[in-house]
């Protein structure tokens, strides 16, 4: 399969609809209309001269010669120029082989018109010299006027053609973008040069022609020549200014509109590069920036599937190394686990087990987030959550206890998976100093929490089995709740990893404000 066929298949799979032969033919014809439209500008100027100078006798010859040069010869020249573009649009060559021609299309087309304009007007203005004033019906021009007229009209026709074809290039690039998904990546034009040429044509050119007339002629001839120049300048500059403004301002307007949408959070923007200058390059960089933002958003969303989304967002906001530096803060740690999960796993098919476990973890996750907690790690059938680290959480001890009660209520009132499995949850909560930060090596980093408070919460979760409870909290957690809940002391126990006994408490459902904890059962 050819590269072009592969690209077409890829475009179709990405939602881009390939252009039909009729659409390709239409966009190709439009180029020839635009590139030869300079003839109508020439016709306007010739008509103005005929009206003012009363040279209607040779008007058909003058117009016919202009048509021969600016339509006929010009068509032959631009046909060869456009051939690579036509081949690309027909799927015969890849985009990389035509991109340079696309970028230079306005300049190359205008250069050909520039040369043809010189020939056209040099022949017209010199006809009184080789055909005689009577035969040509054209007054003999002064040498300065001959040179100035040729020069001004060459620049005018060049500028008109350049910006008309630039406007066409904008349409062509949009067409290619929509049907091929490709954008210009080469930029040979210069926005400054375009402005300079436009300024010369609009202001300096007509003024120069009028000044030459003032110094070259006198009396009625002078008035006639100045009137011709002024009328021609009004028509030529008006038409050229229209295409100049479209060519220079439309890409900026498109870019501005896209930036406005992005500022409102719409990252789906990708716009065609429609100019061959710095504005086109800026548009390309805008597309790259949006792709980077979309990639960042995908990373954040993907990261948030493995690390709590709030932690992922905090890490991505950090500049520099993109990690969370170590810090110590008072926080509350919550560990949860499913009672008898090993036995359950032995009797459930793996696919059913995973479905049920995912539903369970989603149920447990909701109360933790609702009360300001962050799930740091899923550990098999359990999870490890923190309150006030890394995200601030006022009253973190009470928030953790409320989350634990809501977890018990949510889990105890439903079944999970297609098999309707019931899960009993054990929770351990501890409050105290916690060290948090990004740890790891090389490209493998993980946000984690360290310290005695973390270890104690894990041990309390395990002790639920020994005491027949569902929620156990440490003395530090109980004291930080400031009497919001009623706790039942269970004495002191020696916790693995600690030399001193630790006072532990369960929650008394009857004394808890607004909460109805599930019935405790023996483990």
């Amino acid at each position: 399969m050819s590269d072009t066929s592969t690209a077409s298949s890829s475009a179709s799979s990405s939602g881009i609809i390939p252009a039909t032969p009729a659409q390709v033919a239409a966009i190709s014809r439009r180029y020839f209309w635009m590139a030869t439209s300079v003839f109508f500008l020439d016709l306007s100027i010739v008509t103005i001269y005929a009206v003012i100078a009363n040279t209607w006798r040779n008007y058909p010859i003058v117009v016919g010669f202009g048509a021969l040069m600016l339509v006929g010869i010009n068509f032959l020249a631009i046909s060869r120029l456009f051939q690579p573009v036509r081949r690309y649009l027909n799927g015969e060559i890849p985009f990389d082989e035509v991109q340079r021609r696309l970028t230079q299309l306005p300049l190359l087309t205008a250069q050909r018109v520039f040369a043809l304009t010189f020939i056209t007007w040099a022949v017209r203005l010199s006809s009184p010299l080789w055909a005689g004033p009577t035969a040509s019906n054209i007054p003999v021009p002064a040498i300065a006027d001959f040179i100035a007229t040729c020069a001004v009209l060459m620049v005018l026709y060049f500028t008109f053609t350049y910006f008309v074809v630039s406007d066409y290039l904008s349409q062509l690039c949009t067409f290619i973008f929509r049907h091929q998904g490709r954008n210009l990546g080469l930029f040979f034009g210069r926005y400054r040069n375009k402005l300079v040429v436009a300024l010369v044509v609009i202001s300096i050119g007509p003024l120069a022609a009028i000044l030459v007339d003032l110094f070259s002629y006198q009396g009625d001839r002078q008035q006639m020549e100045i009137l011709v120049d002024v009328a021609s300048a009004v028509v030529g500059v008006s038409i050229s200014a229209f295409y100049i403004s479209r060519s220079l301002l439309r890409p900026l307007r498109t870019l501005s509109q896209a930036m406005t949408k992005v500022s409102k959070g719409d990252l789906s923007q990708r716009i065609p590069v429609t100019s061959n200058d710095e504005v086109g390059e800026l548009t390309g960089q805008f597309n790259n920036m949006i792709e980077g933002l979309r990639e960042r958003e995908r990373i954040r969303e993907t990261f948030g599937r493995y690390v709590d989304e709030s932690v992922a967002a905090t890490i991505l906001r950090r500049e520099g190394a993109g990690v969370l530096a170590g810090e110590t803060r008072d926080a509350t740690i919550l560990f949860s686990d499913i009672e008898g999960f090993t036995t359950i796993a032995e009797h459930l098919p793996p696919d059913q087990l995973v479905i049920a476990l995912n539903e369970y973890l989603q149920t447990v996750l909701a109360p933790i987030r609702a009360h300001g907690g962050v799930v740091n790690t899923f550990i098999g059938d359990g999870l490890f959550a923190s309150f006030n680290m890394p995200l601030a959480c006022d009253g973190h001890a009470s928030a953790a206890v409320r989350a634990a009660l809501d977890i018990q209520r949510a889990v105890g009132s439903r079944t999970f998976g297609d098999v309707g499995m019931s899960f009993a949850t054990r929770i351990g909560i501890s409050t105290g100093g916690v060290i948090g930060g990004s740890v790891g090596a090389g490209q493998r980093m993980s946000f984690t929490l360290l310290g005695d408070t973390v270890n104690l919460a894990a041990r309390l979760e395990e002790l639920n089995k020994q005491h027949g409870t569902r929620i156990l909290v440490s003395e530090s957690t109980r004291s930080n709740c400031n009497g919001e809940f009623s706790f039942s002391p269970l004495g002191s126990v020696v916790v693995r990893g600690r030399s001193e006994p630790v006072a532990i408490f369960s929650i008394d459902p009857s004394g808890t404000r607004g909460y109805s904890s599930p019935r405790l059962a023996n483990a």
Side-chain angles (χ1 to χ4, degrees), residues 277-441:
D277 52 23
E278 292 88 346
V279 176
E281 188 172 7
L282 179 62
T283 304
Q285 293 299 327
F286 170 82
N287 287 331
N288 293 338
M289 180 192 72
I290 297 305
E291 182 60 34
L293 290 175
R294 284 198 294 263
E295 181 65 21
R296 182 183 176 91
E297 184 67 16
R298 285 193 294 268
I299 290 173
R300 188 187 67 79
E301 292 176 354
T302 303
F303 196 13
R305 295 176 183 269
Y306 298 94
V307 177
D308 190 274
E309 187 173 352
S310 57
V311 178
T314 301
I315 293 175
L316 291 174
R317 280 197 303 268
R318 299 293 175 90
E319 298 180 356
V323 298
L324 296 178
E327 61 176 317
T328 301
R329 186 189 304 175
D330 281 340
T332 299
I333 305 300
L334 180 152
F335 268 88
S336 78
D337 200 4
I338 297 176
E339 174 190 333
F341 184 77
T342 301
T343 302
I344 295 173
E346 292 176 353
H347 294 86
L348 276 182
D351 57 335
Q352 295 295 330
L353 178 66
V354 170
I355 291 173
L357 182 59
N358 284 335
E359 290 184 10
Y360 162 80
L361 291 175
Q362 187 64 35
T363 302
V364 173
L365 181 64
I368 293 174
R369 286 185 169 175
H371 291 286
V374 170
V375 175
N376 297 91
T377 308
F378 290 102
I379 310 171
D381 58 305
L383 58 82
F384 159 31
S386 59
F387 295 77
N388 205 45
M389 172 70 85
L391 302 182
C393 178
D394 295 334
H396 49 87
S398 296
V401 173
R402 286 194 295 270
L405 292 170
D406 285 346
I407 288 172
Q408 293 292 1
R409 174 183 293 173
V411 171
S413 63
R414 62 167 293 182
T415 57
F416 303 94
D418 298 335
V419 295
M421 193 69 197
S422 297
F423 291 138
T425 303
R426 296 191 294 249
I427 298 173
I429 305 174
S430 178
T431 302
V434 175
I435 301 171
S438 297
V439 298

Side-chain angles (χ1 to χ4, degrees), residues 31 81 100-113 158-170 194 247 274-276:
Y31 167 72
L81 180 65
R100 186 181 185 90
R101 176 58 53 88
L102 283 172
T103 302
Q104 296 181 323
L105 192 62
L107 178 61
L108 296 176
T109 306
Q111 285 176 345
R112 283 151 178 77
V113 169
F158 173 90
T159 305
F160 173 85
T161 303
Y162 181 89
F163 284 104
V164 165
V165 178
S166 292
D167 185 67
Y168 168 77
L169 179 63
S170 174
K194 293 181 181 180
S247 175
T274 59
S275 59
N276 59 1

Side-chain angles (χ1 to χ4, degrees), residues 35 57 76 128 167 200 205 223 225 239 263 288 311 345 371 429-430:
R57 190 174 66 185
L76 295 177
D167 185 67
V200 168
Q223 294 179 4
E225 293 289 348
I239 298 174
S263 69
N288 293 338
V311 178
H371 291 286
I429 305 174
S430 178

